Amino acid sequence: SLVGEGNGSKKKKVMILGGDGYCGWATALHLSKKGHEVAIVDSLVRRLFDEQLGTQTLTPIASLQKRVKKWKDLSGETLDVYIGDVCNFEFLEHAVKSFEPDTIVHFGEQRSAPYSMMDRDRAVFTQHNNVIGTLNVLFAIKEFVPECHLVKLGTMGEYGTPNIDIEEGFITITHNGRTDTLPYPKQASSFYHLSKVHDSHNLAFACKAWGLAATDLNQGVVYGVHTPETSLDEVLINRLDYDGVFGTALNRFCVQAAVGHPLTVYGKGGQTRGYLDIRDTVRCLELAIINPAKPGEFRVFNQFTEQFSVNDLAALVTKAGQKLGIEVKTAHVQNPRVEAEEHYYNAKHSKLVELGLEPHYLGDALLDSLLNVAVTYADRVDNEQILPAVSWKKIGTKPKTVKPSGL
Amino acid sequence: SLVGEGNGSKKKKVMILGGDGYCGWATALHLSKKGHEVAIVDSLVRRLFDEQLGTQTLTPIASLQKRVKKWKDLSGETLDVYIGDVCNFEFLEHAVKSFEPDTIVHFGEQRSAPYSMMDRDRAVFTQHNNVIGTLNVLFAIKEFVPECHLVKLGTMGEYGTPNIDIEEGFITITHNGRTDTLPYPKQASSFYHLSKVHDSHNLAFACKAWGLAATDLNQGVVYGVHTPETSLDEVLINRLDYDGVFGTALNRFCVQAAVGHPLTVYGKGGQTRGYLDIRDTVRCLELAIINPAKPGEFRVFNQFTEQFSVNDLAALVTKAGQKLGIEVKTAHVQNPRVEAEEHYYNAKHSKLVELGLEPHYLGDALLDSLLNVAVTYADRVDNEQILPAVSWKKIGTKPKTVKPSGL
Ligand SMILES: NC(=O)c1ccc[n+]([C@@H]2O[C@H](COP(=O)([O-])OP(=O)(O)OC[C@H]3O[C@@H](n4cnc5c(N)ncnc54)[C@H](O)[C@@H]3O)[C@@H](O)[C@H]2O)c1
Ligand SMILES: NC(=O)c1ccc[n+]([C@@H]2O[C@H](COP(=O)([O-])OP(=O)(O)OC[C@H]3O[C@@H](n4cnc5c(N)ncnc54)[C@H](O)[C@@H]3O)[C@@H](O)[C@H]2O)c1
């Protein structure tokens, strides 16, 4: 079937901002494999965060230069690389003018909620980095490549946990006898999540005022490490964060299980969110790219495949551990965040499926393989990094100058 | 009646960020007159914008130092002054710790939509200045004066022009059989208006996560120049902007009428907005201050008294001109903005009235006096500054280095 293949075999010139990161690297290889021309733009600041926090990815990742060379050796495909900060407009202008993308995928933001809640300086950095970077991208498109489709990563966290169904970006409201379709109300709960809300509003305006074409992908929590391309060679391996600042729910649990650390369920564990496999992330990006938004259109897709509560995830990891002979315990730790621990949650996510997404559901096989990766690299785990280290209420103006576990 | 007097005669320590500006100066004097202890914080950057753009307020304003000295001479009251940028946290920390406000009024932002649409650099400046400044204020309150009530200026422009009634900040939505009260959806249409949307989301979070108390005043377009205090002496006179960048609708029309320039109606002139008299601005601020939000509460008031379309305003100014023997013409100029020119508009604005606001409606007397001020200072008008100089669609990345009329 041609469903989801959009303009048939048309190959795109895709510039991936944040292409050295967790989602960006996997996406770059996937698109390159599919015959698209790919450039990576990244300041490598994510690697700096690890140095500064004293954290490390579970999986030993190679330098971007080595990764790109290995991909060339294995696939014959070239990935253009531009090292720089999208907040630096001169740099971005140079990169965009020289590559001339028809699609820009924007992953290049500070993406950890706890990082944004560490201290004032990092809160300000996060909103500046993300909001100004995205403004620069909008201006670069308007000026230099006005036909270029922007595919921007947002987060399901923009919606918060309203007591009504979450729609994909917009909601039709009838009020006092009149009706309109309006942006879905946003209730984000960290300075990081808020930065994405700000981006979404800026994007909607740029599409309306300037006729830009943009897709906002409100992504759920991504889990997993391997994609067919990143598992071709250890030099291509993707990052897997498990620490209390950059690690996300399911990935963290698997690493905790592998080293015999109790799963750290925050509070009551009833917090329900949307999740997806990294293999679906790369496919969703591909689907959005080959079926672009129209000029002037601001589209929003909710990008996740299944909903789980934190307790659901703990139970699944416990069961998968048993199968592998690992005894998994759970510890309810004090919730460092300010969030509802029991709430209604029902979020729509049909638009990417309509474009052709065939989800990888979180099954035993995935959990086994993720747990096995965690077991393989268990000796790299720093137990000090596992506990949550950042409190939503204790954030202050004094800079945190040591690694979180030492706070 | 004691309605609106809140905690009776309790006097407040009010720090006014942006206290040298149009709304801020009038508010500072009004509150000082009412016996509150007032400090002004301002970087004076608004005066720099005028220098750089080659524009000037119609009314000749004195330096902040002279204004404050004159007020002391006339009223016996001291206004503390802190000159600096709220984006500079060290400065803000010093000011807050030394004054120890129980109320912070935040007017201190770049507030012109056209300015934010001049070029990329000014768009970025606007969002940085406003969003980071407000983040700093939130952190300063959390750390140094956690009980302090924040009264933050937003704008009615955050709501855009939805096809349903505009509520005050929140809307109750019933959807698929469930109900919740959620933030009212935002559709701002300039980088300036968007910065206010971002601020509102950040504020809501800070109140929820940290228990801060905040009032967001979504203000309409302010008109008029005199308040009882600013008209006591010419040294105390308030600014009146009429240029294409900083001038706002009704004030601009009065100045245009006074110098025989046709009223510049953008497009069809059906754009309807909420308006209020500067004498009501200062009273609204007072009401919000003496009836503070509770800890953890994020309140939103729509701060305007009447709705007018641009054509309504043109007709009112034409009629007032006739009375004074001035012949007023109207010219429909091409709309430099991207906005609906015919639309539904019905915005609620009862919360401040419930607190005791008794509106000054836009009547002949006000228009006469505003027109007369314009006539008095007509020789200061630079005709080159009257036309709209900034186009929403033509904004680019090349810096605008000369005054707008020369673009
Ligand atoms: N990982 C998830 O579970 C998840 C979930 C929802 C949304 N997202 C979003 O997807 C995107 C990618 O997430 P990720 O997990 O791959 O994050 P990541 O931190 O692994 O990757 C982000 C990359 O962007 C780069 N970057 C950051 N700021 C930059 C700047 N100013 N200029 C240039 N490069 C910059 C970093 O160096 C890093 O390589 C982010 O926008 C994130 O918010 C991720
Ligand atoms: N004037 C209106 O019609 C109107 C309508 C709706 C909302 N508002 C809002 O009311 C507030 C005041 O508006 P105004 O018309 O008095 O504007 P204004 O430009 O006359 O005053 C703003 C003041 O803030 C100062 N300022 C700006 N950035 C600063 C910073 N980073 N640090 C310190 N000081 C800074 C400026 O120097 C200026 O004196 C603004 O937030 C504006 O958005 C105004």
Side-chain angles (χ1 to χ4, degrees):
Chain A
S1 141
L2 280 179
V3 169
E5 298 311 319
N7 302 332
S9 66
K10 182 142 182 333
K11 298 303 174 211
K12 302 280 186 186
K13 284 189 82 167
V14 186
M15 173 168 263
I16 303 187
L17 314 180
D20 187 50
Y22 173 55
C23 300
W25 176 241
T27 302
L29 297 194
H30 177 75
L31 295 174
S32 176
K33 179 75 190 300
K34 290 290 191 99
H36 303 288
E37 199 177 329
V38 174
I40 287 175
V41 173
D42 202 301
S43 64
L44 308 184
V45 68
R46 176 69 190 85
R47 294 174 184 251
L48 177 66
F49 299 150
D50 270 345
E51 296 290 344
Q52 293 178 335
L53 299 175
T55 54
Q56 269 194 56
T57 147
L58 179 77
T59 44
I61 57 172
S63 71
L64 178 58
Q65 292 79 359
K66 284 199 184 134
R67 288 174 148 188
V68 166
K69 185 169 179 314
K70 176 61 78 180
W71 180 246
K72 172 89 186 174
D73 294 346
L74 292 180
S75 72
E77 299 294 340
T78 301
L79 299 170
D80 279 1
V81 173
Y82 301 87
I83 303 290
D85 187 334
V86 300
C87 291
N88 174 346
F89 192 75
E90 280 183 303
F91 160 74
L92 185 65
E93 169 171 355
H94 162 75
V96 169
K97 280 181 172 170
S98 89
F99 185 70
E100 293 186 326
D102 54 39
T103 310
I104 291 181
V105 177
H106 187 14
F107 288 114
E109 300 199 331
Q110 191 301 95
R111 73 114 181 98
S112 157
Y115 188 91
S116 77
M117 299 302 294
M118 281 180 72
D119 54 24
R120 185 199 66 88
D121 193 58
R122 288 180 171 95
V124 165
F125 169 84
T126 299
Q127 293 215 343
H128 177 95
N129 186 60
N130 297 2
V131 174
I132 305 302
T134 296
L135 282 179
N136 279 350
V137 171
L138 293 172
F139 275 96
I141 292 176
K142 177 180 195 292
E143 283 283 283
F144 313 128
V145 284
E147 319 273 276
C148 181
H149 176 210
L150 174 61
V151 181
K152 165 73 175 52
L153 269 288
T155 160
M156 287 299 295
E158 294 180 43
Y159 299 115
T161 53
N163 194 37
I164 58 173
D165 292 343
I166 295 172
E167 299 296 324
E168 301 197 59
F170 301 89
I171 182 167
T172 300
I173 302 175
T174 299
H175 180 56
N176 300 344
R178 305 181 62 90
T179 299
D180 201 355
T181 297
L182 297 171
Y184 197 96
K186 298 294 177 74
Q187 302 186 102
S189 59
S190 77
F191 289 116
Y192 154 70
H193 290 104
L194 285 157
S195 75
K196 297 286 189 176
V197 173
H198 307 342
D199 284 344
S200 297
H201 285 99
N202 284 342
L203 251 67
F205 169 67
C207 291
K208 185 176 173 207
W210 302 337
L212 302 196
T215 304
D216 203 3
L217 297 174
N218 284 341
Q219 188 170 237
V221 184
V222 186
Y223 58 80
V225 62
H226 289 318
T227 60
E229 297 80 23
T230 61
S231 52
L232 278 178
D233 188 291
E234 201 171 18
V235 172
L236 299 178
I237 203 166
N238 205 349
R239 65 181 310 128
L240 190 67
D241 302 313
Y242 67 91
D243 61 278
V245 176
F246 275 91
T248 49
L250 183 57
N251 288 347
R252 261 165 73 71
F253 281 179
C254 288
V255 175
Q256 290 170 354
V259 299
H261 192 289
L263 308 187
T264 52
V265 170
Y266 294 174
K268 295 189 189 139
Q271 305 91 318
T272 302
R273 300 287 184 273
Y275 288 80
L276 77 165
D277 188 311
I278 181 102
R279 294 173 297 175
D280 289 339
T281 290
V282 303
R283 176 66 175 153
C284 289
L285 267 294
E286 182 189 4
L287 289 169
I289 291 166
I290 63 181
N291 301 284
K294 289 185 281 293
E297 187 186 6
F298 173 64
R299 293 192 300 198
V300 182
F301 299 162
N302 291 347
Q303 178 169 316
F304 73 96
T305 59
E306 294 173 278
Q307 292 186 181
F308 299 104
S309 72
V310 176
N311 288 329
D312 291 340
L313 294 181
L316 287 164
V317 172
T318 303
K319 220 182 86 197
Q322 277 161 354
K323 263 183 53 191
L324 301 186
I326 307 173
E327 199 203 343
V328 182
K329 295 223 168 86
T330 288
H332 284 261
V333 303
Q334 212 196 323
N335 194 342
R337 306 191 177 209
V338 175
E339 62 185 2
E341 292 174 5
E342 285 169 319
H343 57 87
Y344 179 74
Y345 200 78
N346 183 35
K348 304 296 170 64
H349 53 110
S350 59
K351 291 192 185 177
L352 283 158
V353 171
E354 281 159 25
L355 288 180
L357 177 66
E358 291 168 8
H360 295 84
Y361 293 112
L362 176 57
D364 293 348
L366 182 279
L367 266 183
D368 293 354
S369 93
L370 189 53
L371 267 177
N372 273 316
V373 171
V375 170
T376 306
Y377 294 106
D379 60 325
R380 286 176 51 89
V381 172
D382 176 357
N383 273 284
E384 297 245 309
Q385 301 296 344
I386 285 182
L387 287 178
V390 179
S391 153
W392 262 225
K393 297 207 177 196
K394 290 199 198 119
I395 179 173
T397 60
K398 191 157 163 269
K400 303 260 197 265
T401 53
V402 290
K403 61 177 185 170
S405 60
L407 297 179
Chain B
S1 142
L2 279 178
V3 169
E5 298 311 320
N7 302 332
S9 66
K10 182 145 182 330
K11 296 307 172 207
K12 303 279 186 186
K13 282 188 83 168
V14 186
M15 172 169 263
I16 302 185
L17 314 179
D20 186 49
Y22 173 55
C23 299
W25 177 241
T27 302
L29 296 194
H30 177 74
L31 294 175
S32 176
K33 179 76 192 299
K34 290 291 190 98
H36 303 288
E37 197 177 330
V38 174
I40 287 176
V41 173
D42 202 301
S43 65
L44 308 184
V45 69
R46 175 69 189 86
R47 294 174 184 250
L48 178 66
F49 299 149
D50 270 346
E51 296 290 343
Q52 292 178 335
L53 299 175
T55 53
Q56 270 193 57
T57 148
L58 179 77
T59 43
I61 57 173
S63 71
L64 179 56
Q65 292 78 359
K66 285 199 184 134
R67 288 173 148 187
V68 167
K69 184 168 180 313
K70 178 61 76 179
W71 180 247
K72 170 91 187 171
D73 294 345
L74 292 180
S75 73
E77 300 294 338
T78 302
L79 299 169
D80 277 1
V81 173
Y82 300 88
I83 303 292
D85 188 335
V86 298
C87 291
N88 174 347
F89 192 75
E90 279 183 304
F91 159 74
L92 186 64
E93 171 172 352
H94 163 73
V96 169
K97 280 182 172 169
S98 88
F99 185 71
E100 294 187 323
D102 54 40
T103 309
I104 292 182
V105 176
H106 187 13
F107 288 114
E109 299 199 331
Q110 192 300 96
R111 74 114 180 98
S112 157
Y115 188 90
S116 78
M117 299 303 293
M118 282 180 71
D119 54 24
R120 185 199 66 87
D121 194 58
R122 288 182 170 93
V124 164
F125 169 82
T126 300
Q127 292 214 344
H128 177 95
N129 186 61
N130 297 3
V131 174
I132 305 302
T134 296
L135 282 179
N136 280 349
V137 172
L138 294 173
F139 275 96
I141 292 177
K142 178 181 194 293
E143 282 281 284
F144 313 128
V145 283
E147 319 272 278
C148 180
H149 176 211
L150 173 61
V151 180
K152 166 72 175 55
L153 269 290
T155 159
M156 286 300 295
E158 294 181 43
Y159 300 114
T161 53
N163 195 37
I164 58 173
D165 291 344
I166 295 173
E167 299 297 324
E168 300 196 60
F170 300 90
I171 182 169
T172 300
I173 303 176
T174 298
H175 181 55
N176 300 344
R178 305 181 61 89
T179 299
D180 202 356
T181 297
L182 297 171
Y184 198 97
K186 299 293 177 74
Q187 301 186 102
S189 60
S190 78
F191 289 116
Y192 154 68
H193 290 104
L194 285 157
S195 75
K196 297 286 190 177
V197 174
H198 307 342
D199 284 342
S200 297
H201 284 99
N202 285 342
L203 251 67
F205 169 67
C207 292
K208 187 178 170 203
W210 302 337
L212 303 195
T215 303
D216 204 3
L217 297 174
N218 284 341
Q219 187 170 238
V221 184
V222 185
Y223 59 78
V225 63
H226 289 317
T227 59
E229 296 80 23
T230 62
S231 52
L232 278 179
D233 188 291
E234 202 171 18
V235 173
L236 298 178
I237 202 166
N238 205 350
R239 64 181 311 128
L240 189 67
D241 302 313
Y242 66 90
D243 61 279
V245 177
F246 275 92
T248 48
L250 183 57
N251 287 346
R252 262 165 72 70
F253 280 179
C254 288
V255 174
Q256 291 170 353
V259 298
H261 192 289
L263 308 186
T264 53
V265 170
Y266 294 173
K268 294 188 191 141
Q271 304 91 316
T272 301
R273 300 288 185 274
Y275 289 79
L276 75 166
D277 188 310
I278 181 104
R279 293 172 297 175
D280 289 338
T281 290
V282 304
R283 175 68 176 151
C284 289
L285 267 296
E286 182 190 3
L287 289 169
I289 291 167
I290 61 180
N291 302 283
K294 288 184 282 291
E297 186 186 8
F298 174 64
R299 296 193 296 199
V300 183
F301 299 161
N302 291 347
Q303 178 168 318
F304 73 95
T305 58
E306 293 175 278
Q307 293 188 179
F308 299 104
S309 73
V310 176
N311 288 330
D312 291 339
L313 294 181
L316 287 165
V317 172
T318 304
K319 220 182 86 197
Q322 277 161 355
K323 265 184 48 191
L324 301 187
I326 307 172
E327 199 202 343
V328 182
K329 294 224 169 86
T330 288
H332 285 262
V333 304
Q334 213 195 324
N335 194 341
R337 307 191 176 206
V338 175
E339 62 184 4
E341 292 173 4
E342 285 169 321
H343 57 87
Y344 178 74
Y345 200 78
N346 184 35
K348 303 298 170 64
H349 52 108
S350 58
K351 290 192 187 178
L352 282 158
V353 172
E354 282 160 26
L355 288 180
L357 177 66
E358 290 168 10
H360 295 85
Y361 294 110
L362 176 57
D364 293 347
L366 181 277
L367 266 182
D368 293 354
S369 93
L370 190 53
L371 266 175
N372 273 317
V373 171
V375 170
T376 306
Y377 294 105
D379 59 325
R380 287 176 50 92
V381 173
D382 175 357
N383 273 282
E384 299 244 309
Q385 300 297 345
I386 286 182
L387 286 178
V390 179
S391 153
W392 263 225
K393 297 206 177 195
K394 290 199 198 121
I395 178 172
T397 60
K398 191 157 162 270
K400 302 259 198 271
T401 52
V402 291
K403 63 178 181 168
S405 59
L407 297 179

